[in-house]
Amino acid sequence: MTGRSDNVHDVIIIGAGANGINQLHRIRQAGFVVVALEAGAGVGGAWYWNRYPGARLDSECYSYAYTPEFSAEVSTLWEWEEEFADQPTLEAYFNFVIDRLDLRRSIVFNSRVVSARWDEPTRTWRITTEDGATYESRHVVAATGILSVPFVPDYPGIQDFGGTILHTANWPAEGIDLAGRRVIVIGVGSTGIQVIQTIASKVEHLTVLQRTPNWATPLNNYRYSEERKAEVKAQAADIMRLTGSTRSCFVRDRRSESTWDVTDEERMAILQDLYAAPGLSLYSGGFDDLLTDAAANREVTNFLSAKIAERVHDPETARKLTPHHPFATKRPPMETGYYEVYNRPNVSLVHLPEEPIVRFVENGVETTEGFYEADMIVVATGFDAITGSFLHLGVEGTDGVTLRDWWEDGPRTYLGVFAHHFPNLFILGGPQGVNGNHPRCADFASDWIARAITRLRETGVSRIEVSDEFEDEWIEYCNSFVAGTLLEDAVAWQWGSNIPGKKRRYMLYIGPQPTFRLKLEEVLASDFGGFDVEEERASSRETDHARA
Ligand code: NAP
């Protein structure tokens, strides 16, 4: 074969976000020659790109961080200052981690992968980056994230807007001075809400273009005292054990009782406690039947509607801000003073279902009912989620089948890690696997992938591929957790509903993460039983290399 690369590695990791860093450390510790290719100029993935005003975590820092098992040194030395860190802190954390663990030298920055092709004769992946560099490896781990391809709707006249227009995931590192500006924000998901509540007091005028209001609940962030900092460190190992036992690796699990097992007074008190608790508590710590019983879910939405009505002075604005979908069928955003923003005289809410956008013009946006002037438009319209970043890698497997072809009707994986036609490719933190408190869930999968690749090396396996029957079984299993729940009717990025033309498929595994991990362990325990496994042949890869 011709055109071999000088950059030959045992393993290539694509992406140096939270998961890619985790995988890089584990693979390097296992003694492999490894490189991570990162599109950005720095590490952190979502926390590198999303520098918009107000970007902040909504899992508790100590549950999101790397575990003492991953690195006792990092765990001991790093100090969190508050329950939910902001973007600059998280970016600093990931830089701290790669420097302490000496990972920086194994990362190639500004290296966006544009093609990854399986070469059957040599059992290798051949990777090309945007700048034309080529790499080869026996194994590839794709850790490109589920929320990394920004989506900008194709509005009529969008190119005619004369001011600054920016998707939140492309915010410049040097920031933007918003003082005195007339700003439009489009989108009220987790991102839009963080932007809106942060910039409302800084801009001259803020117009929010809202398509679907969301059930936002208080983040209840707080700064740590010295005692709390010490406590967080002392409890690190316990917290990690706890998050390893819960359904989605959050610090809270759903309550074991149903909505109807308690009296009305008890229910209100529980909802109030969860509303006052940090982060995603109302979702992750809610009643058992939250997503299976419409009436139970209505107890929560009635409770939240009353909160919106209390907090927003103008009843008409409160009406527009009150969603109609069941709670948590769209991912609930966290807020800090979000609803009060609409009491400000410099903030207007435009409810798009009642006055759709007609076109963008040089100095603003026209709707069917009016004109909204702006010199800046912030596009907080989300991402081509879950599959988007993997499809953009230009992956081509056996028989010329591309991942884009293979996933045309929705993602197909076994355990969220393997895909038929793509031997020796491991997906970390993509569809149908890791889900919930993401880096914590992915930590287990990353550890497993490192052990799996080690086992393959030890047993002289050069090629491993899963069958499409295994994929079918896994997809059916993933779907079984959604069937009969309120999620079935959701309009949400988890279904791909936010991207025009994307097939409607539920793309996540929402069963218990401990069960998912047991299934991964069964694969190793059975030595990849049922997989198509080939041992190193006489014409080994090394021999081929020598001949090339
Ligand atoms: P998102 O949840 O998909 O929200 C996008 C918003 O844009 C929605 O309000 C959506 O309305 C609106 N939109 C989309 N297309 C539109 C169109 N053509 N016209 C008008 N409005 C349109 O995206 P996101 O807010 O970036 O959040 C994505 C995910 O990232 C979150 O769910 C969360 O998992 C994660 N995130 C986490 C944090 C954190 O604190 N840790 C922060 C930010 C994001 P519809 O609802 O009608 O589609």
Side-chain angles (χ1 to χ4, degrees):
M1 105 175 249
T2 56
R4 300 207 71 98
S5 168
D6 290 336
N7 292 316
V8 179
H9 297 84
D10 298 321
V11 183
I12 291 173
I13 295 162
I14 309 179
N19 298 347
I21 292 171
N22 188 318
Q23 192 70 81
L24 177 60
H25 181 52
R26 291 186 185 278
I27 293 278
R28 234 176 57 176
Q29 279 195 315
F32 290 99
V33 178
V34 56
V35 68
L37 304 176
E38 166 54 50
V43 285
W47 299 109
Y48 168 84
W49 296 104
N50 288 273
R51 301 165 181 278
Y52 60 82
R56 185 177 286 281
L57 195 56
D58 60 16
S59 294
E60 295 76 1
C61 295
Y62 53 79
S63 71
Y64 192 87
Y66 295 113
T67 66
E69 177 271 325
F70 172 82
S71 165
E73 187 189 2
V74 164
S75 197
T76 311
L77 293 178
W78 182 264
E79 217 153 65
W80 295 108
E81 300 287 335
E82 52 188 335
E83 189 85 341
F84 303 101
D86 60 11
Q87 181 274 331
T89 305
L90 288 159
E91 198 184 354
Y93 173 67
F94 290 116
N95 277 285
F96 172 82
V97 171
I98 62 163
D99 287 332
R100 289 311 297 194
L101 303 180
D102 189 26
L103 298 175
R104 197 177 288 278
R105 66 186 164 87
S106 301
I107 304 172
V108 186
F109 293 101
N110 301 304
S111 285
R112 185 177 291 280
V113 170
V114 291
S115 120
R117 306 179 80 172
W118 173 249
D119 185 60
E120 192 68 63
T122 55
R123 310 293 196 249
T124 53
W125 281 98
R126 309 189 70 209
I127 302 225
T128 309
T129 55
E130 208 167 32
D131 58 4
T134 58
Y135 298 81
E136 277 183 33
S137 63
R138 164 108 337 146
H139 300 285
V140 167
V141 181
T144 45
I146 59 168
L147 295 159
S148 28
V149 178
F151 165 66
V152 179
D154 187 16
Y155 293 113
I158 193 164
Q159 68 290 344
D160 298 335
F161 181 67
T164 312
I165 181 160
L166 207 53
H167 190 282
T168 39
N170 294 323
W171 209 268
E174 63 278 13
I176 293 182
D177 185 6
L178 295 165
R181 300 189 80 159
R182 300 177 72 78
V183 179
I184 287 177
V185 174
I186 311 176
V188 292
S190 302
T191 302
I193 283 178
Q194 289 185 333
V195 174
I196 292 162
Q197 68 197 13
T198 306
I199 70 170
S201 61
K202 302 188 171 85
V203 299
E204 184 186 314
H205 192 88
L206 173 63
T207 306
V208 176
L209 304 189
Q210 163 192 273
R211 184 164 71 180
T212 315
N214 214 338
W215 294 112
T217 58
L219 180 65
N220 296 315
N221 190 22
Y222 64 99
R223 293 200 70 77
Y224 287 167
S225 62
E226 290 307 314
E227 293 72 37
R228 179 67 181 139
K229 280 186 201 170
E231 190 180 62
V232 162
K233 271 195 192 181
Q235 291 175 350
D238 290 343
I239 294 290
M240 293 309 164
R241 265 190 294 281
L242 171 69
T243 49
S245 70
T246 57
R247 186 180 177 92
S248 307
C249 299
F250 289 114
V251 288
R252 279 179 190 264
D253 237 343
R254 288 271 157 75
R255 302 174 71 84
S256 52
E257 80 255 74
S258 100
T259 303
W260 317 114
D261 289 340
V262 296
T263 65
D264 291 355
E265 292 72 29
E266 285 166 341
R267 187 178 316 119
M268 283 309 284
I270 289 167
L271 291 178
Q272 184 54 51
D273 279 353
L274 292 170
Y275 192 75
L280 285 153
S281 299
L282 193 58
Y283 165 62
S284 59
F287 289 103
D288 182 44
D289 49 359
L290 177 73
L291 288 173
T292 50
D293 178 344
N297 194 289
R298 259 196 309 280
E299 292 290 307
V300 180
T301 56
N302 288 341
F303 170 82
L304 292 176
S305 302
K307 293 289 183 195
I308 297 171
E310 262 170 41
R311 293 173 59 182
V312 178
H313 298 163
D314 173 38
E316 182 58 7
T317 306
R319 176 188 69 77
K320 290 176 182 168
L321 287 168
T322 305
H324 297 293
H325 59 270
F327 175 69
T329 53
K330 277 177 182 290
R331 201 275 205 180
M334 303 291 103
E335 55 86 24
T336 304
Y338 171 66
Y339 290 107
E340 287 73 11
V341 158
Y342 296 95
N343 299 330
R344 297 178 61 90
N346 69 330
V347 176
S348 334
L349 176 65
V350 177
H351 191 42
L352 296 175
E354 293 170 4
E355 51 167 312
I357 293 173
V358 175
R359 68 176 75 85
F360 284 39
V361 294
E362 221 246 320
N363 57 342
V365 173
E366 282 177 22
T367 67
T368 51
E369 306 300 312
F371 170 67
Y372 300 93
E373 199 183 350
D375 50 52
M376 175 163 185
I377 298 180
V378 179
V379 184
T381 46
F383 299 87
D384 180 359
I386 306 176
T387 51
S389 73
F390 299 96
L391 297 181
H392 275 75
L393 295 175
V395 181
E396 187 180 314
T398 59
D399 307 321
V401 175
T402 65
L403 194 64
R404 202 171 271 284
D405 294 336
W406 193 240
W407 285 7
E408 199 193 345
D409 287 334
R412 297 183 56 80
T413 74
Y414 181 54
L415 296 166
V417 174
F418 302 97
H420 182 53
H421 282 297
F422 305 96
N424 297 8
L425 172 70
F426 295 78
I427 298 166
L428 174 62
Q432 299 168 349
V434 163
N435 179 41
N437 184 14
H438 222 260
R440 179 66 184 122
C441 302
D443 176 55
F444 291 102
S446 165
D447 170 53
W448 186 87
I449 290 172
R451 286 188 286 124
I453 295 178
T454 303
R455 174 77 64 84
L456 296 173
R457 176 180 60 183
E458 286 167 358
T459 50
V461 171
S462 62
R463 184 191 192 283
I464 183 166
E465 186 183 352
V466 77
S467 68
D468 53 349
E469 286 92 354
F470 269 36
E471 288 178 337
D472 288 337
E473 250 174 54
W474 182 245
I475 292 167
E476 204 179 311
Y477 186 66
C478 290
N479 290 344
S480 71
F481 290 97
V482 180
T485 72
L486 303 177
L487 294 173
E488 276 191 314
D489 298 324
V491 179
W493 55 256
Q494 292 83 346
W495 281 100
S497 347
N498 60 328
I499 303 298
K502 195 163 175 173
K503 295 248 167 72
R504 184 177 160 79
R505 295 280 182 276
Y506 201 82
M507 295 184 281
L508 297 175
Y509 161 81
I510 55 164
Q513 285 291 311
T515 308
F516 163 68
R517 296 199 295 269
L518 280 178
K519 289 186 180 292
L520 281 177
E521 293 307 334
E522 282 165 15
V523 172
L524 273 188
S526 70
D527 249 331
F528 302 94
F531 281 61
D532 181 8
V533 173
E534 273 183 30
E535 292 184 1
E536 197 77 59
R537 298 174 308 176
S539 61
S540 71
R541 176 168 164 262
E542 283 70 28
T543 315
D544 284 344
H545 277 223
R547 287 200 194 114

